[in-house]
Amino acid sequence: MFKEEHKAYLDQKHDVMKINIFIDGEELTPSTGNYSERRDPGDEDRVIGLVADGSKDVGAAVDAARRAFDRDAGGWVSDYRLRARVLYKAAELLRQNLDFFAETESLFVGKTIRTSRSSDVPRAAEILEFYAGLADKILGTSQILRTGDLVAVVKQPVGVVAAITPWNFPLVIMCRQVAPALAAGCTVVTKPASLTPASAFEFAKILTKAGAPKGVFNVVTGSGETVGSSLVKSDKVDAVNFTGETSTGRWIMEQAAGSLKRVILELGGKNPNIVFEDADLERAATAVTYGAYANNGESCAAGSRLLVHSNVKQKFIEMVVERVRRMRVGYQLDEKTDLGPLVSRKQLESVLEYVGAAASEGLNIVYGGNRLTESFYARGNYMQPTVIVDTPRESKLFQEEIFGPVLTVTEFRDEDEAVELANATLYGLAAGVWSNDVGKAVRVAEKIKAGAVWVNTYYTLPVEMPWGGFKQSGLGRNNTVHAIEHYLEHKGIYVDNQQGPMRPYYRLVLG
Ligand code: NDP
């Protein structure tokens, strides 16, 4: 399966990126003086990054963000036009540096360069532009009451926001979290995932170049247990936006309760793609394959559970497997690669453990299931795309997020059973429905307990589409015009417009 041409990519030299922390408008070396090595997911023999241990710098970063907010640094809090200009400019700079960001993202995550170039980086830029356009449209309301008094509702930024991000879409998810916060006039401290911190650090430079005043955007790299946890517990942080595992989200919510800060959580997913017998099966097979294996299946949005009507099950599985067979597993920077290496050896082992569990549960692995070790594959975290059929709802593989290139298949006999199976996990992030009967598709979409339902498509997630989960997939929504509300306080200002004697109710107190 290994192609000789992959060797050329593996032999290409990459500079080792030094990923420092970024505080108060400046790149700094960490106070600990320590760096950890990040290895190439496609070639574990090679170091691609040295990542600063910022565990002793969280206080300084939060103080910088706090100061910038409280003192309205450079007019950031009060000047909405400035914020709009900076975010537009940052989007422009991101596009100008598209190749650099795409390569960095792919190199660290293991996702294919085609994905980073055509999807991740442009989407990140779009998100910035979308919220740039909102920065000067944060409107309050005002009303003259029956009494003649005035009530004005003004919206003010909530303060310092901590953004804690996962490793699978480091740039897009960070922009989804920080763009509305910045547009609202907040200041930010970001903690990127330890495995993929490069794009956040590089983005800080871009935002500064775009004109963000000092202290508005800070990045502290380091582990979740140290940097992440200090941010969540800090009294000087007003809100946390976290994307990651459900178990981490639960812990964050508990910790944030100490200072009653706002919490927005985007967590795991175990998303069903439901294919009815009257669907356009050709289109559905392509989208189901894409939904399961895009981003190496390492996606909260992965359509990792195929639910298919029993009448078309066999035919549809063959159609999917035929597409899976054509997928090229390879180095992430190779333009021809469809499935890159998994992000780390640990992640690969975890996914293979699930496949092992499938084997011991007696499930039928109809395609893949193995790590690739032939020739240069041995150097990275490569595995075959995997299809497992007849997966019952009690199975661990049906219930748990695998976060790798594994698709399970379960059949249903009617609409009710499809909905029941779709809702039979503790997650509720996304779902796909495939049918040419619009009435049925809409009925099913309505009954599915998930934050996003795609009908006759999968994975299209523009900033106009809300993103977040029902049940244990999260709390609150990112994307859309509404997300900005997470970062705004509503303040009522009541103006008494009476003249002459005080109103009767004052007499209750004053006699
Ligand atoms: P984790 O929950 O392990 O980590 C996410 C981030 O939280 C990382 O930056 C991590 O740091 C940090 N972190 C870990 N422990 C703590 C802690 N105690 N306090 C504060 N921060 C902490 O998730 P992964 O990075 O492994 O990402 C995969 C998960 O993210 C999957 O479950 C996936 O479904 C979910 N996800 C959800 C999305 C959604 O939109 N709903 C989108 C993308 C992913 P460190 O890296 O140092 O461990």
Side-chain angles (χ1 to χ4, degrees):
M1 208 164 177
F2 182 81
K3 305 271 187 315
E4 263 313 301
E5 64 216 47
H6 293 159
K7 186 171 178 304
Y9 286 94
L10 286 177
D11 288 344
Q12 258 174 24
K13 294 267 173 293
H14 300 293
D15 293 336
V16 176
M17 284 179 79
K18 193 150 197 190
I19 298 146
N20 274 316
I21 53 178
F22 196 94
I23 297 179
D24 219 10
E26 267 185 86
E27 173 180 351
L28 301 172
T29 54
S31 303
T32 58
N34 298 332
Y35 289 83
S36 58
E37 283 180 352
R38 171 66 178 131
R39 288 174 181 272
D40 183 345
D43 179 3
E44 289 274 339
D45 293 341
R46 178 163 56 189
V47 175
I48 52 171
L50 290 174
V51 186
D53 169 6
S55 53
K56 293 207 173 127
D57 302 291
V58 180
V62 172
D63 284 347
R66 189 77 262 166
R67 242 184 349 260
F69 184 80
D70 292 342
R71 297 185 192 163
D72 192 12
W76 184 254
V77 181
S78 54
D79 187 351
Y80 43 80
R81 294 206 203 287
L82 165 72
R83 302 198 299 266
R85 277 197 306 275
V86 168
L87 290 173
Y88 274 126
K89 185 70 190 171
E92 192 187 322
L93 292 172
L94 206 52
R95 289 185 201 282
Q96 279 170 14
N97 292 282
L98 188 142
D99 285 339
F100 169 74
F101 273 93
E103 275 170 31
T104 303
E105 205 71 340
S106 283
L107 193 59
F108 279 74
V109 179
K111 67 172 76 196
T112 67
I113 186 68
R114 278 188 283 130
T115 307
S116 299
R117 194 177 292 129
S118 65
S119 175
D120 289 41
V121 184
R123 268 171 65 203
E126 270 171 25
I127 292 170
L128 293 169
E129 286 161 350
F130 182 88
Y131 289 104
L134 273 190
D136 58 358
K137 296 169 197 73
I138 299 170
L139 307 176
T141 55
S142 58
Q143 191 177 355
I144 309 253
L145 305 184
R146 280 184 307 174
T147 55
D149 292 352
L150 172 76
V151 169
V153 181
V154 293
K155 296 185 181 181
Q156 295 182 327
V158 77
V160 175
V161 175
I164 303 178
T165 58
W167 48 258
N168 57 347
F169 293 92
L171 183 66
V172 178
I173 289 180
M174 183 192 63
C175 286
R176 201 149 76 197
Q177 296 183 190
V178 307
L182 293 171
C186 292
T187 59
V188 170
V189 181
T190 294
K191 190 216 99 62
S194 296
L195 292 170
T196 58
S199 46
F201 172 61
E202 294 298 330
F203 180 74
K205 296 183 195 165
I206 273 201
L207 201 67
T208 306
K209 217 172 180 183
K214 286 181 175 187
V216 163
F217 186 77
N218 308 275
V219 180
V220 187
T221 50
S223 77
E225 285 78 31
T226 55
V227 176
S229 135
S230 309
L231 281 173
V232 175
K233 290 178 188 162
S234 170
D235 287 343
K236 295 178 186 165
V237 171
D238 302 293
V240 177
N241 190 326
F242 167 81
T243 303
E245 282 181 25
T246 294
S247 54
T248 320
R250 212 174 276 129
W251 182 91
I252 285 181
M253 202 165 165
E254 278 168 27
Q255 297 303 314
S259 54
L260 282 179
K261 52 175 66 74
R262 289 186 186 191
V263 179
I264 303 116
L265 302 173
E266 260 187 44
L267 309 175
K270 186 70 186 176
N271 314 300
N273 230 328
I274 306 171
V275 178
F276 286 96
E277 58 183 322
D278 58 4
D280 179 334
L281 296 183
E282 283 294 328
R283 285 174 63 95
T286 299
V288 163
T289 308
Y290 180 73
Y293 303 104
N295 215 63
N296 305 339
E298 295 168 307
S299 170
C300 53
S304 53
R305 283 189 297 146
L306 166 61
L307 306 179
V308 58
H309 193 278
S310 45
N311 288 351
V312 290
K313 176 184 131 187
Q314 208 43 48
K315 178 178 173 196
F316 194 71
I317 291 173
E318 281 160 23
M319 290 168 77
V320 170
V321 168
E322 192 250 320
R323 285 161 171 77
V324 173
R325 190 170 283 125
R326 280 191 269 129
M327 286 172 64
R328 287 160 303 193
V329 183
Y331 190 58
Q332 64 267 37
L333 296 183
D334 184 339
E335 297 285 345
K336 292 186 250 14
T337 293
D338 298 310
L339 193 74
L342 302 197
V343 71
S344 65
R345 194 52 58 91
K346 193 167 152 225
Q347 187 62 18
L348 174 69
E349 281 161 7
S350 155
V351 175
L352 291 173
E353 217 171 280
Y354 275 104
V355 178
S360 28
E361 281 182 27
L363 302 183
N364 186 5
I365 303 172
V366 293
Y367 191 85
N370 297 306
R371 181 183 167 195
L372 291 166
T373 50
E374 180 204 341
S375 184
F376 289 96
Y377 279 132
R379 280 157 61 173
N381 308 315
Y382 301 95
M383 75 171 278
Q384 296 172 304
T386 300
V387 184
I388 302 175
V389 300
D390 297 330
T391 313
R393 76 172 75 186
E394 306 74 39
S395 168
K396 188 176 153 86
L397 282 94
F398 184 98
Q399 293 292 337
E400 296 178 18
E401 191 177 36
I402 299 172
F403 229 59
V406 179
L407 174 68
T408 65
V409 185
T410 307
E411 70 171 25
F412 64 84
R413 281 171 299 267
D414 57 32
E415 200 177 309
D416 286 345
E417 195 184 11
V419 171
E420 202 191 316
L421 284 168
N423 289 334
T425 74
L426 56 80
Y427 296 110
L429 190 60
V433 182
W434 294 86
S435 168
N436 278 332
D437 176 345
V438 177
K440 177 159 68 183
V442 171
R443 234 176 9 249
V444 170
E446 202 197 343
K447 287 182 195 151
I448 290 177
K449 297 192 178 92
V453 183
W454 288 291
V455 175
N456 294 335
T457 181
Y458 199 82
Y459 240 139
T460 33
L461 190 54
V463 62
E464 291 85 354
M465 178 93 170
W467 189 241
F470 279 38
K471 302 196 280 182
Q472 296 195 28
S473 284
L475 203 66
R477 296 288 179 272
N478 289 311
N479 279 353
T480 80
V481 293
H482 306 294
I484 204 161
E485 291 294 336
H486 291 306
Y487 309 100
L488 293 168
E489 292 281 12
H490 289 204
K491 178 189 282 180
I493 301 178
Y494 191 110
V495 182
D496 188 321
N497 199 23
Q498 304 300 309
Q499 285 165 3
M502 296 291 276
R503 287 210 178 87
Y505 51 73
Y506 286 104
R507 287 191 217 118
L508 295 175
V509 195
L510 303 175

